Structures are given as C-alpha cells and as structure tokens.
Amino acid sequence: MELVAGSYEQVLFGFTVHPKPETSGNEKWTPVADFTHHAHTASLSAVAVNSRFVVTGSKDETIHIYDMKKKIEHGALVHHNGTITCLKFYGNRHLISGAEDGLICVWDAKKWECLKSIKAHKGHVTFLSIHPSGKLALSVGTDKTLRTWNLVEGRSAFIKNIKQNAHIVEWSPKGEKYVVVILNKIDIYQLDTASVSGTITNEKRISSITFFSDSVLAVAGDEELVRFFDCDSLMCLCEFKAHENRVKDMFSFEIPQHHVLVTASNDGFIKMWELKQDKKIPPSLLCGVNTSARLTCLGVWLDRETSTKVSLPPAAEPSPVNEDHPKISKKESGDMVQEEETSKPNSKKCDLTSYSKKLTKGNSVVSTKKRKVIEMSEKKRKKKKI
C-alpha cells in the first residue's frame, strides 16, 4: 500500500507501507519514503485514488495524474479556472472534480477526456460525494445550497436551500443516509425522507469525516483530537489525541485482519491506526512518519492484487453519462423540490497535457522550472481558444 499526502509546500509525498510479521507474532508497520513530487505551482488541495491512478488538485487550478503502477506522472488536466476543491473517483472509469469556478466535471478516467462540464453552483463548489450506486451525487457550495445530481444523465436533479454554507457532504457506505457539515455541526439526513434525523456537534470546526459503517462516523477538526460518533444515538463513542496540531484529513480502509484509519495533520505527521471492533475503545497506533511539511490532503493507494476490500464505493459499471438509463424519481432523491438543468455536454479532447516524468525517489524534490513553463503555456493556449 502507498500513503499519499499533499502539502502547502506544493509537494506530494508517497510512502510505501508493508506489514511485516515479527517474532512475537505481531505485525510491524513501517512507512518507507517512496517518492516526492513537486508538480504543482501552488498548495495541494485535494487527492483521490483508484486502483491505478492517484490524482491531485491544487490552488494552481490544475489536476495532475500519477500512474502508480509505473510510478510516473501521466499528465495534467487544465479545464477548471479556480482552485480544485474536491476530487472523487467512481470505480476505475470515472473521475469527478469540483472547483471554485462553480463547475463539476465528469472525466473519462481511461482517455482522460472531459465528458460533461456542469455549472453546479453560483459560488464555489466546496465538496461533493458520489452515492455507492454511482447513480447520484451530492454537492455543496458557497451559494448555501445542497444539490442532488443525476449522474446517469449528467444533470441537476434537485436543489435544497440550507441556512449556511456547508463545506463537507458525504454518503454513508450503504447510501441510506448522508451528512452535511456546517462549521462544527453535522446534520444527518435519511435518504428516504431527505430530512434531518439528528445533529452531531463537535468541539471545533470540522475539517474531515469518514464513515466506518452506516452507524459510526469519525470526525476530525481544528484540534488534535479525533472522535468517533454513533449516527443513531448521536453520542460520542470515544476520543483520542491523534496529533500535536489540527487534523487536516482522514482515510479509512479494510484489508484482511485489519481495519485501518489514516490521519494527516498540520504537524507534518501521517499516522496509521488499528481500529478495534468495539468503537468505544480508542484505536492503537500502528506507525507514523514525519514529512516536515504542512499536510493538507490524504489518500491511500492499495494494490488491488493484494488488497480486497476498501471503504470506498465499489467499482460498478453504470456510466455517469449514459442517456439510456431511466430518470431518477423525486422519491429516490427525497423531498428536494426545485429542479434545474444546467449541464452541457463537453467532449473536449484538449484538456489533458501529457507527461512521462518519473516520480522522484526518496525525499528530494524535482525542479519545477520546466513544469511551470509548460503549465503557463498550456493556460495561455486555453485562454486563446476561449
């Protein structure tokens, strides 16, 4: 497995982790520096992984693609005009991106073409989440709306006005509920009613959440602690000190005999935690590594040949742009009442800038002078076309 983390310092870090048996019968987890890459010209803001690629988004308005099998940079996507705020893979066929330009883009993750570009929010797109079925997505933005998207047809389905700007939205693993995060509060919605069934309040502003199951949620904020909450009783099951500074991002996954939580912090550390079956018991530390950077985003790339189960949506095949599927009904999306169609087909083939640059081994950083020249010329070429 490979831990990948982006930073304010514009660097993407990669650490290989191989659990090794010890004579005591336990396993020793040791992160080993695999690569650092300085492709972006501004701080990294988002990362996503599938079985082959890692993609990163940045304040430099670009998305970079890394082939983890070949350990090379595969190319860059230059469609957005604003900070990339969120990146989500659905299986191995599609990537969905959101940015401060208000756009949500659906990408073919094989040819790396933009299949659909949607003007999603009047302000920034702050977060998006794909339903486990692949047929629906939710997004939130700075226009104080929660929007439901029909990914089968690539169009907006419903809009729900909310009182404040939300900065996180997330489906539960089974897709029967979803949560919307506003500052330090988490509203839990039931899909069948689209109404709030309860609210969890955290001590500080929330920076990251991750579901362990449909009923247990991990919450991190602008503090050193991570808390586990029961989504039904709304009670805090446990809390533990994870870092010396605020936790910026979390990622959870399952492999045989292990359920693991990974955390990244402004203190520079990436840590791996062994989750207990009883979530009232705090997890135990498996390992940690210091990047000496201010980390912003986190992902875990798992080699699917050796790893079987991940706490991400399964790689199902319904296409987000297949027009032959039936339209979703209001019942399926709950009681969001306003309907809007704002999407426009987009089959541009000029969004991918190809590279074949190998990732730099160890902790050294590649020179970015040549890359900056390439990216600037690419943006100039794009603006001339517009």
Side-chain angles (χ1 to χ4, degrees), residues 27-99:
E27 285 185 324
K28 184 178 181 181
W29 296 55
T30 306
V32 178
D34 186 24
F35 69 85
T36 58
H37 200 50
H38 196 161
H40 290 284
T41 58
S43 61
L44 277 70
S45 51
V47 64
V49 297
N50 71 3
S51 64
R52 180 66 182 266
F53 296 102
V54 169
V55 294
T56 57
S58 167
K59 289 187 176 182
D60 66 10
E61 306 179 356
T62 67
I63 300 167
H64 284 264
I65 310 160
Y66 308 92
D67 188 324
M68 295 301 290
K69 297 283 189 181
K70 297 180 180 179
K71 291 294 172 69
I72 61 170
E73 184 176 359
H74 187 73
L77 305 173
V78 292
H79 186 86
H80 286 286
N81 288 303
T83 296
I84 310 300
T85 54
C86 42
L87 294 167
K88 299 288 181 180
F89 274 110
Y90 183 73
N92 292 320
R93 289 303 307 273
H94 299 98
L95 170 71
I96 301 183
S97 61

Side-chain angles (χ1 to χ4, degrees), residues 165-178:
N165 290 328
H167 62 281
I168 299 174
V169 62
E170 196 73 64
W171 288 102
S172 66
K174 292 181 181 178
E176 295 174 357
K177 65 183 70 168
Y178 54 92

Side-chain angles (χ1 to χ4, degrees), residues 308-364:
T308 55
K309 186 179 179 184
V310 190
S311 58
L312 290 173
E317 284 305 312
S319 168
V321 292
N322 187 343
E323 300 292 341
D324 295 328
H325 287 275
K327 293 183 179 181
I328 62 171
S329 64
K330 288 189 178 181
K331 185 178 180 182
E332 187 176 356
S333 292
D335 62 357
M336 301 181 190
V337 294
Q338 187 178 354
E339 189 168 340
E340 179 184 67
E341 291 194 24
T342 57
S343 61
K344 295 180 181 179
N346 189 323
S347 58
K348 290 172 113 182
K349 295 187 179 181
C350 60
D351 287 313
L352 175 66
T353 303
S354 295
Y355 303 111
S356 294
K357 183 181 284 291
K358 287 189 176 181
L359 304 184
T360 304
K361 286 285 183 181
N363 287 320
S364 60

Side-chain angles (χ1 to χ4, degrees), residues 110-154:
K110 298 291 185 182
K111 298 178 181 179
W112 296 108
E113 295 173 4
C114 184
L115 302 174
K116 187 80 73 171
S117 182
I118 304 165
K119 182 59 179 175
H121 288 268
K122 293 176 182 178
H124 303 166
V125 178
T126 53
F127 213 87
L128 62 88
S129 180
I130 305 170
H131 189 270
S133 68
K135 295 178 181 179
L136 294 172
L138 293 170
S139 69
V140 289
T142 56
D143 55 1
K144 299 181 182 178
T145 63
L146 166 66
R147 302 190 181 220
T148 305
W149 301 95
N150 182 334
L151 294 184
V152 173
E153 298 181 359

